[in-house]
Amino acid sequence: MSDATVRSTKTRRGAGLGERAIELFLGACGVLSLFTTAGIIAVLAFETWAFFREVPLSAFFFDTEWTPLFADKHFGIWPLLAGTFLTSAIAIVLALPAGLLAAIYLSEFASARMRRVLKPALELLAGVPTLVYGYFALVLVTPLLQRVIPDLSGFNALSSGICIGIMIIPMISSLSEDAIYAVPNTLREGAYALGAGRLATIFRVVLPAAASGIAAALILAVSRAVGETMIVAIAAGQQPRLTLDPRVPIETMTAYIVQVSMGDTPADTLEYRTIFAVAAMLFVVTFAMNLVSHRLARRFRVAST
Amino acid sequence: MLTSTRRRLLRERLFVGLCASAVVIPLLVLALLVGHVALAGLGRIDWAFLSGYPSRRAATAGILPAMVGSLYMIAITAALALPVGVGAAIFLEEYGARSRLAAIIEVNIANLAGVPSIIYGMLGLGVFVRLMGFGRTLIAGAATMALLVLPVVIVSSREALRTVPYAMREACFGLGATKWQAIRQVVLPMAAPGILTGTILAVARAIGETAPLVVIGALAYVTFLPTSPTSQFTALPMQILNWVSRPQEAFVVNAAAGIVVLLITMLVLNLAAILLRNRLQKRVY
């Protein structure tokens, strides 16, 4: 064997090793995302475990009062869940019809050029920082609503819910529009051939065909509304109460975490651990919804191809 | 017969109008929101506001430490998220295509993108602030933000990589290039505009994120500029939150002015992303 061949095999083997190292490094970058999920679960589980060693599960799930920062401590999660449910429900009641109608317009009625302009324009709504929506809810929406509803409190679930709703309209409209747009034109043509009008075609043929994609969009939007923090922290109040009255101050799970974080609760106390227990609850709820949404979206993708 | 057809057409037209208003009304609300904030805040913005430090008196308070803190933070965020995000994207697109690991990572990234930002704050608090002992510093905030934007960076980088035709890779292999040589010298440069645009857009969003900073405990009242990654810091959203939570009208005006500065910063970053993409695209093709 000549010197040259030896050298070339050597460099080639060296290159192979380098290639391998690079692949390992890139793989590590990918695996970091798994560590992120694991880290979230570990941090929440660790502190929540410490919390439940002092507070029995029954006090968390069956008490109806949440007063961990007071002298008379109660740890019932329901008032916070009710607050979160209320603001999210208001948001969805507003955003689902608006988002769906907008999606129908963009997909079925707008010209291709209008669609190219309007869709990103609508998505700007989701790009505005939620802090700004919080300001909007507190400074503009609440005073406006107070003219119509005189006994509306300065902090309330209604204006926060409305602002969350505005924020998630583009989530619903964009994802639903993708699903509606993906419905094959042959289905529409088939409906027209059978004598169906445009409305009947949309409501009886197109929307049912896009249903799983729309459902995925809806669940993702609910999950976003549940996890929304700054709007409710600024405009919904800090009074956990078990109510469905949208006019009074309430507190959501996220707003409670903000309240404790901004206060001066010392670390490693029971009061401090409450935020991890609440965050664990929030994580479980949103994670479950994201999983379901992902499944539905995949089914819709399989069905449409 | 004729009237029923006419009625149907009328119904259809009403429905189209309803659908159109579902697009137009939210856009009007957006215009109202921006107009209202600008009206309230623009008058407050002057050089003293931009170069001033926080103060007990609303009229003399400024946003310099918050501005510098925010810019410093997103610079570190980008420096952390870009290499890792692009690395993960290359792995998923070019190496892992059909492996089981890649499939798991993919589902995981989709789920991470839906985790509320406040939960990332809890992660940052548990891992960076306490476990790793960074404390409530810039680096802890930036690392938390990097994890938050990572799914977006990965997804947009993958899309950019996917736009490079497979024939380009085959041409490289045909010339005897190894896989990494092909990626490093041909695929990455071609995908760079898309990758950079996606990263800048993700980071521009991070500059408005408030919840994670609140949770990791970024300060609200800071009278010094951060000097190193291990400095304590405040950021624009924290300063705005501090002002908006006060009852006095003068501070709410400050908040509006802060929001205007925040929105303009985000707008500039978005424009930069678009310009950068247009320039680089011309150079490559």
Side-chain angles (χ1 to χ4, degrees):
Chain A
M1 213 191 289
S2 75
D3 251 17
T5 19
V6 170
R7 202 179 302 134
S8 90
T9 19
K10 246 189 199 159
T11 47
R12 207 170 288 159
R13 194 174 296 151
L17 265 181
E19 291 277 313
R20 191 81 198 119
I22 283 162
E23 191 174 342
L24 273 179
F25 169 76
L26 297 173
C29 291
V31 169
L32 185 75
S33 77
L34 295 179
F35 279 125
T36 308
T37 309
I40 290 172
I41 294 173
V43 166
L44 295 182
F46 181 74
E47 297 280 353
T48 306
W49 177 254
F51 172 78
F52 279 120
R53 273 214 311 240
E54 290 180 65
V55 176
L57 273 172
S58 61
F60 192 68
F61 286 108
F62 297 118
D63 201 328
T64 54
E65 276 182 78
W66 178 261
T67 56
L69 306 178
F70 295 165
D72 176 26
K73 295 187 192 315
H74 287 273
F75 297 97
I77 188 75
W78 289 104
L80 297 183
L81 277 177
T84 299
F85 172 79
L86 187 56
T87 51
S88 309
I90 294 168
I92 291 299
V93 164
L94 176 78
L96 179 61
L100 203 50
L101 288 174
I104 293 173
Y105 183 78
L106 293 175
S107 168
E108 305 294 306
F109 302 132
S111 66
R113 224 172 97 201
M114 293 253 282
R115 180 170 175 263
R116 258 205 315 279
V117 176
L118 288 176
K119 205 175 173 187
L122 212 52
E123 277 163 6
L124 279 180
L125 276 170
V128 176
T130 65
L131 174 74
V132 178
Y133 281 112
Y135 167 91
F136 194 47
L138 183 70
V139 176
L140 187 64
V141 178
T142 296
L144 277 178
L145 287 173
Q146 273 170 335
R147 287 193 204 158
V148 192
I149 314 167
D151 52 351
L152 187 73
S153 162
F155 298 101
N156 59 76
L158 186 59
S159 55
S160 327
I162 290 174
C163 286
I164 299 175
I166 294 168
M167 181 188 80
I168 60 176
I169 284 176
M171 281 196 79
I172 296 186
S173 68
S174 278
L175 293 173
S176 310
E177 203 263 351
D178 291 341
I180 294 171
Y181 198 74
V183 172
N185 241 338
T186 47
L187 285 184
R188 295 185 184 85
E189 282 155 7
Y192 292 143
L194 291 171
R198 286 185 103 175
L199 294 190
T201 306
I202 288 171
F203 282 102
R204 303 263 178 83
V205 178
V206 177
L207 288 186
S212 63
I214 294 170
L218 173 66
I219 296 169
L220 216 55
V222 175
S223 155
R224 175 64 68 85
V226 166
E228 171 40 41
T229 306
M230 294 326 293
I231 299 177
V232 286
I234 292 172
Q238 297 186 335
Q239 298 178 23
R241 65 173 93 197
L242 196 53
T243 179
L244 290 180
D245 185 346
R247 294 167 304 175
V248 295
I250 48 110
E251 185 162 52
T252 65
M253 295 192 277
T254 49
Y256 175 75
I257 298 173
V258 169
Q259 184 193 355
V260 173
S261 299
M262 305 224 342
D264 45 10
T265 312
D268 293 319
T269 58
L270 181 60
E271 290 87 343
Y272 182 76
R273 289 201 177 106
T274 55
I275 63 172
F276 288 92
V278 171
M281 187 80 192
L282 178 67
F283 180 70
V284 169
V285 171
T286 51
F287 202 77
M289 282 193 281
N290 294 340
L291 274 181
V292 173
S293 170
H294 197 64
R295 283 274 158 81
L296 280 171
R298 203 163 47 186
R299 186 192 301 169
F300 133 72
R301 224 168 283 140
V302 170
S304 65
T305 45
Chain B
M1 184 66 195
L2 231 164
T3 48
S4 92
T5 314
R6 199 169 290 163
R7 210 176 291 153
R8 204 189 70 192
L9 280 176
L10 187 70
R11 260 215 314 271
E12 278 183 16
R13 221 168 270 162
L14 277 176
F15 183 70
V16 175
L18 189 67
C19 289
S21 66
V23 176
V24 173
I25 292 174
L27 290 179
L28 287 179
V29 170
L30 180 64
L32 172 71
L33 168 59
V34 172
H36 183 266
V37 167
L39 211 62
L42 264 183
R44 178 69 185 80
I45 298 176
D46 51 23
W47 184 243
F49 181 73
L50 293 176
S51 64
Y53 289 80
S55 162
R56 259 171 241 286
R57 287 184 300 134
T60 55
I63 57 162
L64 186 65
M67 239 355 245
V68 174
S70 270
L71 293 177
Y72 215 146
M73 185 187 73
I74 59 157
I76 303 176
T77 300
L80 292 173
L82 184 63
V84 177
V86 174
I90 294 175
F91 176 73
L92 291 174
E93 265 323 292
E94 312 284 334
Y95 288 90
R98 258 176 245 128
S99 77
R100 203 175 159 72
L101 178 65
I104 296 172
I105 292 174
E106 205 159 317
V107 172
N108 183 55
I109 288 169
N111 279 322
L112 276 179
V115 171
S117 62
I118 194 166
I119 301 279
Y120 282 93
M122 308 293 289
L123 174 67
L125 176 65
V127 174
F128 300 126
V129 176
R130 302 187 63 199
L131 190 67
M132 294 171 76
F134 289 158
R136 311 182 151 188
T137 55
L138 256 177
I139 183 75
T144 307
M145 286 295 181
L147 290 182
L148 177 69
V149 299
L150 206 48
V152 187
V153 174
I154 294 175
V155 169
S156 60
S157 302
R158 288 187 70 181
E159 272 162 21
L161 289 171
R162 230 173 283 157
T163 58
V164 180
Y166 198 76
M168 292 291 178
R169 297 173 182 82
E170 284 169 342
C172 291
F173 299 148
L175 290 170
T178 63
K179 195 161 189 175
W180 175 243
Q181 283 168 340
I183 294 169
R184 168 81 198 47
Q185 290 170 20
V186 174
V187 178
L188 266 186
M190 287 184 78
I195 292 173
L196 282 179
T197 309
T199 306
I200 296 176
L201 291 181
V203 167
R205 286 200 76 163
I207 204 172
E209 275 292 347
T210 321
L213 295 181
V214 172
V215 174
I216 66 161
L219 303 172
Y221 192 91
V222 171
T223 52
F224 53 85
L225 299 183
T227 49
S228 79
T230 51
S231 295
Q232 291 201 309
F233 75 113
T234 189
L236 217 35
M238 292 301 295
Q239 184 63 71
I240 295 167
L241 177 63
N242 178 272
W243 280 333
V244 87
S245 330
R246 297 195 193 196
Q248 300 95 324
E249 182 61 32
F251 279 109
V252 177
V253 172
N254 278 5
I259 288 173
V260 172
V261 173
L262 178 68
L263 291 180
I264 289 175
T265 312
M266 292 178 74
L267 196 67
V268 168
L269 282 171
N270 279 285
L271 286 178
I274 294 166
L275 287 179
L276 193 70
R277 182 178 54 191
N278 292 348
R279 262 195 83 116
L280 288 176
Q281 254 170 359
K282 264 183 221 139
R283 221 177 277 167
V284 168
Y285 295 109

